[in-house]
Every structure is written in structure tokens, then in C-alpha cells.
Amino acid sequence: MFSLGSWLPGLAWGWALLDALLQGLVGACAVSVLCSLLKVYLYIQCLNDPQRQAEKEAIRVQWWVLEPLHVVVLTALLALVGSRVAALVVLEFSLRAVSTLLSLGKGAHSSQLYLLCQYSLGCGVSCSLSFLLEGAPHSTCNLVLAVGLAGLLAIYTRRLARHVCTLYELHSRGRYCGICILLLATGHGIPKLLQKALAVTFTVADLAAVVLINRDFLSTAEAIRFWTPLTICYTLLVVYMQEESRQSANGQGVYQTVLVRMGGLFILLLTIGRWSDVLHILVSLLGELWCLLRAGIMLEACWRQ
């Protein structure tokens, strides 16, 4: 007979894996909500522009059956990424987003930026949950409740996007569908709503990311040795991406930017990180590319807009 103590390490590892999967699922649902709302906004914008009917049709015929597959794959990738690398991804995107918004000017928004933040949003939600539920006595139960709420939001926004892509054109003319009438009057405010929601989400995620990174350091000197090259690396990445966005007239540079960002973090963590961080960077690269490939049609619509 095995003693109870011999089972405890495996049991603890199993609970940790379950928590990681639940956190990843909440992050994937958040990304699904973001994409569904952006699909609604872009479809309405293309529908109102006679010169963008081809883009409207491309958004409408997008394969809905791949949405569950996207959630499953993204959940697995977010569960595999460690909290340390997820925190670095969140901080890097936050700096990039602030720089982009400042360059756009007051009152402007960028739908493309919302699509580019998909994987960072998933990492941010995962980091926030990891920080907020750390040490909680019923953290797994809390994560199950979070998954239920996030799943409901993802399902309803997905149904909304499908309804809009199939019936909005008819209902907006007939004026007999309450949902379509509401979108007809307030659909232009979706980017502003997303901007406020993402601002709150990434503010919490940034605080959680800083705490999660700093907890691994035993002294201030060790923390300075990590943060100094990281700050220099992030500054150079932001400058490079701003210059690249000015020179690029289409979306061809987006994938190159992802490779440069992840390559910079990869080299940085080779010198000041751990071997597990290097593996997690490769997983993050797959996550970024997966999100961009899935949102390719909407990215093209944003570039043409």
C-alpha cells in the first residue's frame, strides 16, 4: 500500500495543471469575445461602404466551425506558457499599445491594434487570474466559475456575430429586429467600448505581471540585473515597430514584427532567463502566429480601412 504522502506530489501537480488549463480557457474565451465584437463592427462598416462589398462577403463566409478549434488550441498554448513569459508578453504589448495610441492622436482608435492584441490579451487574463487567486483556498472552484462566465460571454457574442453576418442586412432595412436596430444606432461605438475594456484589463494585467516577475528575485540587485536589459530591449522593440509601421503600407510587416519581437525576447532570455523561459517563448511565437492566421480576413479589412 502506498502512503498518502507518496500521492501528494502527483496530486498537487494535477491540480496545478487543471488550474493552468482553466486559466488558459478563460483567456481563450476573452479572445473569442474580442474577435466576435470586432467581426460585428467590421462587417457593419463594410456593409455601409459600397466599395468594400468583397470584404463583407469574405467576413460573412468565414468558417464558423473553426471557432471551437481556435479556442481549444489557444487554451492549450496559454496553459503551456509559464507565468513569467506571459507577464513579459503582457508588458511588451502594453508599451507597444501606449506608443501606438500616442502616435494615432487624441480620440483615434485602431481596429488593427485590437486584432494584434489577441494573444497578449489571453496572457494578460491568465496572469491576472494567477495573481488574484494565488493562495486562495478555493482557487479551482473560482476558476470554474470564471470559465462558466467567460464561456457564456463567448457563446453569446459568437451568436451575435453570426446573426449580424447572416441577417443584419435584411433586418436593418426592415427595422423589426431589436438587436439589429440597436447595432444600427450604436454599432459605431464598439471600438470605444473595446478600448475601455482592454485598458482596464491590461492595467490589472500589468500590475499582476510586475508582481509575478519580481517574486522570483531574492534581492534588489538581482531584480535590477533583470529589468535593466529588459527595459532596453523593450525600448528598442517599440522604436523599431513604430518605424516599421510608418514604412509599411499593408499588413506584410505584421508577421515580420512578431518574429522580431519574439526573437528579441528569445535572445534576452537566453542570457538572463531560464531554459523553461526559452521554451515558453517558442510556445508564445506559435500563439501569436495562430491568432494572426485566424484573424487574417479581419486584418485585411482593417488595413484597407
Side-chain angles (χ1 to χ4, degrees):
M1 294 289 295
F2 292 101
S3 65
L4 180 61
S6 64
W7 289 94
L8 289 179
L11 186 63
W13 184 86
W15 281 114
L17 178 60
L18 177 61
D19 288 350
L21 287 173
L22 292 175
Q23 291 173 8
L25 183 54
V26 175
C29 289
V31 174
S32 178
V33 171
L34 172 68
C35 291
S36 296
L37 292 178
L38 280 174
K39 185 176 294 185
V40 170
Y41 171 73
L42 291 174
Y43 183 85
I44 294 175
Q45 293 297 309
C46 293
L47 181 64
N48 295 332
D49 189 348
Q51 298 180 354
R52 303 179 64 188
Q53 297 307 302
E55 299 170 38
K56 181 203 74 174
E57 288 300 317
I59 295 175
R60 186 179 66 82
V61 301
Q62 199 172 16
W63 288 2
W64 297 96
V65 70
L66 293 180
E67 178 66 24
L69 176 63
H70 175 73
V71 173
V72 171
V73 173
L74 191 55
T75 298
L77 293 174
L78 291 174
L80 288 174
V81 174
S83 59
R84 185 183 177 99
V85 171
L88 294 176
V89 172
V90 170
L91 293 175
E92 185 271 331
F93 175 79
S94 298
L95 290 176
R96 182 158 45 103
V98 170
S99 177
T100 302
L101 292 176
L102 291 177
S103 65
L104 285 174
K106 185 178 180 181
H109 64 81
S110 173
S111 299
Q112 179 179 339
L113 182 63
Y114 301 147
L115 289 172
L116 296 179
C117 82
Q118 292 179 75
Y119 182 75
S120 301
L121 174 62
C123 289
V125 172
S126 181
C127 282
S128 300
L129 290 174
S130 178
F131 169 69
L132 294 174
L133 297 178
E134 187 176 16
H138 305 291
S139 59
T140 303
C141 295
N142 293 331
L143 285 173
V144 171
L145 293 176
V147 167
L149 178 59
L152 286 176
L153 290 175
I155 291 172
Y156 280 113
T157 53
R158 185 186 175 196
R159 288 180 180 177
L160 173 64
R162 181 178 294 183
H163 176 84
V164 168
C165 291
T166 54
L167 298 173
Y168 178 80
E169 188 172 3
L170 176 63
H171 288 175
S172 60
R173 293 175 181 175
R175 303 295 178 93
Y176 56 83
C177 173
I179 295 176
C180 295
I181 292 175
L182 179 64
L183 289 173
L184 185 64
T186 62
H188 61 277
I190 291 178
K192 186 65 69 175
L193 173 65
L194 290 176
Q195 184 177 13
K196 293 179 180 179
L198 290 174
V200 174
T201 302
F202 276 101
T203 299
V204 177
D206 289 337
L207 295 175
V210 172
V211 174
L212 290 175
I213 293 175
N214 282 334
R215 71 179 181 183
D216 294 332
F217 302 129
L218 300 177
S219 64
T220 304
E222 187 178 355
I224 292 176
R225 283 196 299 269
F226 179 85
W227 283 107
T228 300
L230 182 67
T231 303
I232 297 174
C233 178
Y234 279 178
T235 303
L236 294 176
L237 285 175
V238 169
V239 172
Y240 167 79
M241 284 179 285
Q242 286 297 319
E243 187 64 26
E244 188 70 19
S245 64
R246 294 191 189 98
Q247 296 178 359
S248 179
N250 52 33
Q252 299 299 322
V254 172
Y255 296 97
Q256 179 182 352
T257 300
V258 171
L259 294 175
V260 171
R261 286 169 42 221
M262 292 302 165
L265 289 179
F266 182 84
I267 295 174
L268 179 67
L269 291 177
L270 275 177
T271 58
I272 62 175
R274 307 166 182 166
W275 285 109
S276 59
D277 295 336
V278 175
L279 296 177
H280 293 158
I281 284 292
L282 298 178
V283 175
S284 295
L285 175 61
L286 293 177
E288 289 276 7
L289 294 177
W290 175 258
C291 290
L292 290 179
L293 288 173
R294 186 252 180 182
I297 295 175
M298 291 190 289
L299 276 172
E300 186 176 353
C302 292
W303 297 326
R304 293 182 179 180
Q305 185 180 13

